[in-house]
Amino acid sequence: MRTNLRKNPGQPGDLPESRERLSGVAAMLAEAAASGLNETFHATVHDLADTIERKDPYTGGHTKRVMSYSLAIGRSLALSDMDMINLKLAAILHDLGKIGISDEILQKNEELSLDEFRHMMMHTTYGAELLNHINHLKDVIPGVRYHHEKYDGSGYPEGLKGKGIPIIARIIAVADTFDAITTDRPYRKGLSFDSACRELKESAGSQFDPDVVDAFLTAYSAIGINSTYKR
Ligand SMILES: [Fe+2]
């Protein structure tokens, strides 16, 4: 099952309307980045994040929270200034590739079929390909491409394992999951922050890098990742 999921996941932009949306966004990003990672560029990135969020009305504020959690973990791990900048951009853009996924799948309220899930998985590849057009963002790509890899090698798109998964992707994986499980969805209530921390601990070493989970828990207790983050 796990291996099958990585087999034949479909081609990037395999729907005409997806291809169109993806190339439009690629052009917009390239134009905004042409003069460097300045204010205009950051504003464009934030606008794009808002566009992605509007495609899934149930996750309002997700991108901002994933960015806050990611930066708290990065500080706790004492990442370099450069890594922190790349982490911030990758956290904001981690689901950029959802622009290439149909609304029908993104907004489905039930569990996805295997085919739908395979299509959804392509968002990591779509996102990475979009950023590939932009010179300034080469070091942001690993966070976008690999944020669904798992520490034990069972994730996607490549089944990378352990510390072979780039650090910014290992961080975003924890931040993204923490937000997903603490957010209410139409079909289930979000967990409390304390229960979610217990879940992260249980998945340390299998789904997540144990050092990153430790860093999250340190940030959680020391600098107050608390209920103010919740919508
Ligand atoms: Fe994702």
Side-chain angles (χ1 to χ4, degrees):
M1 167 83 172
R2 282 171 181 171
T3 317
N4 277 346
L5 282 175
R6 282 200 295 277
K7 248 187 219 169
N8 190 25
Q11 293 303 306
D14 49 3
L15 298 171
E17 69 271 26
S18 303
R19 252 199 312 271
E20 216 169 276
R21 270 201 303 249
L22 288 167
S23 58
V25 169
M28 190 202 298
L29 273 172
E31 196 188 316
S35 55
L37 300 187
N38 53 21
E39 248 172 63
T40 314
F41 177 75
H42 282 274
T44 303
V45 164
H46 280 279
D47 284 352
L48 269 175
D50 285 344
T51 305
I52 302 160
E53 294 220 336
R54 274 198 296 278
K55 282 175 70 66
D56 185 348
Y58 300 109
T59 57
H62 171 72
T63 306
K64 240 177 230 155
R65 292 191 299 272
V66 171
M67 183 191 77
S68 303
Y69 300 151
S70 296
L71 292 177
I73 295 169
R75 277 192 294 271
S76 188
L77 288 169
L79 292 192
S80 69
D81 290 351
M82 208 51 211
D83 281 348
M84 287 295 279
I85 291 169
N86 290 328
L87 174 61
K88 182 178 178 184
L89 286 169
I92 296 170
L93 293 169
H94 73 281
D95 275 341
L96 174 68
K98 285 191 177 171
I99 281 170
I101 306 295
S102 75
D103 291 350
E104 204 186 320
I105 293 179
L106 284 180
Q107 294 171 11
K108 194 171 171 185
N109 284 338
E110 302 136 39
E111 206 176 333
L112 299 182
S113 70
L114 192 56
D115 269 356
E116 289 168 336
F117 187 64
R118 282 194 179 125
H119 183 55
M120 180 67 119
M121 286 165 64
M122 290 306 295
H123 78 277
T124 54
T125 307
Y126 294 162
E129 288 186 352
L130 280 170
L131 300 182
N132 219 4
H133 297 275
I134 302 155
N135 274 337
H136 304 292
L137 296 182
K138 291 280 178 268
D139 296 331
V140 174
I141 294 174
V144 174
R145 189 190 295 277
Y146 299 121
H147 73 275
H148 285 289
E149 297 288 2
K150 294 183 180 173
Y151 201 67
D152 63 5
S154 68
Y156 65 89
E158 290 178 22
L160 299 183
K161 206 171 178 175
K163 309 287 187 201
I165 305 167
I167 180 65
I168 59 174
R170 277 179 273 141
I171 291 172
I172 294 169
V174 169
D176 190 23
T177 304
F178 184 80
D179 188 62
I181 61 181
T182 53
T183 306
D184 292 339
R185 304 288 297 191
Y187 46 89
R188 59 142 179 82
K189 186 117 185 68
L191 292 181
S192 71
F193 275 29
D194 287 346
S195 309
C197 283
R198 275 194 295 279
E199 285 222 352
L200 290 185
K201 261 191 242 174
E202 277 163 24
S203 301
S206 53
Q207 187 171 350
F208 306 120
D209 177 352
D211 295 335
V212 173
V213 172
D214 276 352
F216 179 89
L217 296 173
T218 304
Y220 181 80
S221 53
I223 58 164
I225 288 174
N226 57 38
S227 56
T228 58
Y229 278 81
K230 201 151 187 177
R231 283 184 297 145

